[in-house]
Amino acid sequence: MIEISHLCKRFGELTVLDDISLTINYGEIYGIIGQSGAGKSTLLRCINGLEKYQSGSVKVDGREVGALSTAELHKLQKQMGMIFQNFNLLSRLNVFDNVALPMRFAGLNPRKPEHRERILELIELVGLSDKLKARPRELSGGQKQRVAIARALVLNPHILLCDEATSALDPRITQGILSLLTRIRDEMNITVVVVTHQMEVVKQICERVSFLKDSRLIQEGRPEDLFVMPNADINAFLGKTDETLPTTGRNVRIFFTENAEEAPVISMMARDLNVDFSICRADLNDFRGQILGSLVLNVKEEDAPRVLAYLKKAGCIVEEGN
Ligand code: ADP
Ligand code: MG
């Protein structure tokens, strides 16, 4: 478990983390999202002890990271694998030797049968068994990240920290990496912390997420809690401030906060009230298999009161526009 409480971190005069408190549970896939410069990477580096902090507390498995001796810190760091946007592979080493690198640093011989077996097993897990001897330059971006994931797992960590792990990859490849991370969590039962500026990543795999803005934690919850009915900060982050909607009639936004089972309500309403409307905006997203989001209906001015009353009575969350 990772427990962060009232964490403050400054670089000189600059406050980079301002009173951050959050808890990440065992076996969870936890997201930290926010714009570039929000402090996400610094927060991750405080968790693995690469950054010192001025006040507050960061506890991993009950131990204060900032109070560990160098030897204890190194031990803790071995229990945390890390992957990055730019993969950080050594270009002169092949896939096997890149994955083996943390073992070498830890003084373990990768040629020893049990170590070799572990390396091969991980290379197989990430789907690169046919690339053992390939150098990084012979691999695609997605394949490089797979090597980096195998390398991050080679010392059997129980936490995997991912810093913008998919930000340099195209959407289809990102999909594959996200499925792989979920599979790793499921099969190895490790905790995965995902730092990203991509909402796509968070909604697809994270069970809970924190939104950071200007060094502060603005909101925490399930991805659907943050993104289905986004507050002003999150709308700004998503670039959704200048939505164009019809200026005639009345716009009614319906939120689907549980699986879009509420959808039939719209056709029922059309039948029951005998009204016409147009769907002028649909913002539905897949949150780990649940389709959630909002729809905007444009209805005639005179129909609006009946439509709103009907939807509210049916238990829908609605918001009236102009
Ligand atoms: P993010 O990962 O969300 O983009 P970072 O944690 O990298 O944000 O950076 C947060 C802020 O801290 C930025 O303003 C950045 O310039 C500053 N910063 C990061 N690392 C250092 C450092 N080593 N020295 C001084 N300022 C830093
Ligand atoms: Mg960063």
Side-chain angles (χ1 to χ4, degrees):
M1 183 147 83
I2 301 169
E3 291 167 280
I4 299 174
S5 161
H6 301 294
L7 175 67
C8 293
K9 162 78 187 167
R10 289 186 304 274
F11 287 112
E13 294 288 287
L14 182 70
T15 298
V16 176
L17 297 172
D18 186 358
D19 197 24
I20 305 284
S21 298
L22 59 91
T23 299
I24 303 174
N25 300 313
Y26 286 117
E28 191 168 36
I29 304 186
Y30 192 96
I32 297 168
I33 193 167
Q35 239 145 25
S36 175
K40 308 179 296 294
S41 297
T42 306
L43 180 56
L44 213 57
R45 291 164 61 82
C46 287
I47 294 174
N48 73 0
L50 286 175
E51 278 312 338
K52 299 272 174 232
Y53 38 92
Q54 278 81 19
S55 64
S57 159
V58 179
K59 284 189 180 158
V60 176
D61 299 333
R63 308 179 71 201
E64 186 67 43
V65 176
L68 297 177
S69 67
T70 310
E72 288 170 325
L73 186 60
H74 285 158
K75 205 169 149 204
L76 181 76
Q77 284 168 343
K78 276 186 213 151
Q79 292 165 20
M80 295 195 234
M82 186 139 180
I83 56 174
F84 306 89
Q85 175 168 356
N86 51 1
F87 325 122
N88 289 2
L89 303 180
L90 287 193
S91 57
R92 61 189 166 80
L93 298 184
N94 65 29
V95 167
F96 183 94
D97 290 327
N98 263 294
V99 174
L101 208 57
M103 280 187 174
R104 288 196 191 282
F105 287 143
L108 304 170
N109 180 0
R111 307 285 159 194
K112 253 181 122 174
E114 71 263 32
H115 296 154
R116 189 180 155 74
E117 204 172 301
R118 177 66 182 152
I119 295 166
L120 294 175
E121 199 177 276
L122 285 168
I123 293 175
E124 160 130 49
L125 173 81
V126 301
L128 291 177
S129 295
D130 56 339
K131 301 275 183 200
L132 284 186
K133 298 277 176 224
R135 308 272 158 147
R137 66 170 178 275
E138 301 164 60
L139 302 174
S140 69
Q143 289 171 331
K144 284 183 202 161
Q145 194 58 292
R146 287 169 183 272
V147 177
I149 291 171
R151 182 185 56 186
L153 297 172
V154 79
L155 295 178
N156 302 316
H158 61 261
I159 298 172
L160 179 63
L161 305 173
C162 311
D163 193 352
E164 303 283 3
T166 56
S167 300
L169 304 174
D170 67 45
R172 194 175 57 82
I173 304 299
T174 293
Q175 202 65 43
I177 296 291
L178 296 180
S179 312
L180 178 60
L181 291 176
T182 307
R183 206 178 124 209
I184 286 166
R185 189 282 302 271
D186 294 346
E187 287 180 15
M188 304 170 84
N189 202 21
I190 65 178
T191 307
V192 181
V193 185
V194 175
V195 156
T196 180
H197 67 276
Q198 298 170 299
M199 192 214 13
E200 291 298 308
V201 169
V202 162
K203 71 174 209 235
Q204 278 179 48
I205 64 166
C206 295
E207 281 136 358
R208 288 192 307 133
V209 58
S210 274
F211 172 63
L212 255 56
K213 184 190 172 208
D214 300 337
S215 321
R216 309 196 56 191
L217 197 162
I218 302 287
Q219 204 182 352
E220 190 192 23
R222 298 174 308 164
E224 48 271 44
D225 299 331
L226 273 68
F227 297 117
V228 172
M229 295 178 68
N231 66 26
D233 281 323
I234 291 188
N235 263 331
F237 167 68
L238 297 174
K240 281 193 183 161
T241 43
D242 51 358
E243 203 170 63
T244 45
L245 290 171
T247 49
T248 56
R250 195 86 78 83
N251 298 314
V252 178
R253 189 184 290 271
I254 309 171
F255 293 97
F256 297 101
T257 54
E258 280 163 45
N259 228 346
E261 281 149 7
E262 289 133 285
V265 92
I266 298 173
S267 62
M268 276 159 55
M269 175 190 78
R271 263 201 312 272
D272 290 352
L273 300 184
N274 193 25
V275 292
D276 287 317
F277 55 82
S278 54
I279 296 175
C280 49
R281 198 148 193 118
D283 189 10
L284 293 167
N285 281 295
D286 185 345
F287 289 87
R288 304 181 313 291
Q290 279 202 305
I291 308 300
L292 309 172
S294 63
L295 283 183
V296 180
L297 308 184
N298 184 261
V299 301
K300 288 196 207 96
E301 194 69 46
E302 62 269 27
D303 291 336
R306 285 194 303 146
V307 165
L308 285 164
Y310 186 97
L311 291 172
K312 282 179 190 161
K313 189 153 175 253
C316 297
I317 303 171
V318 291
E319 191 181 88
E320 302 171 54
N322 56 303

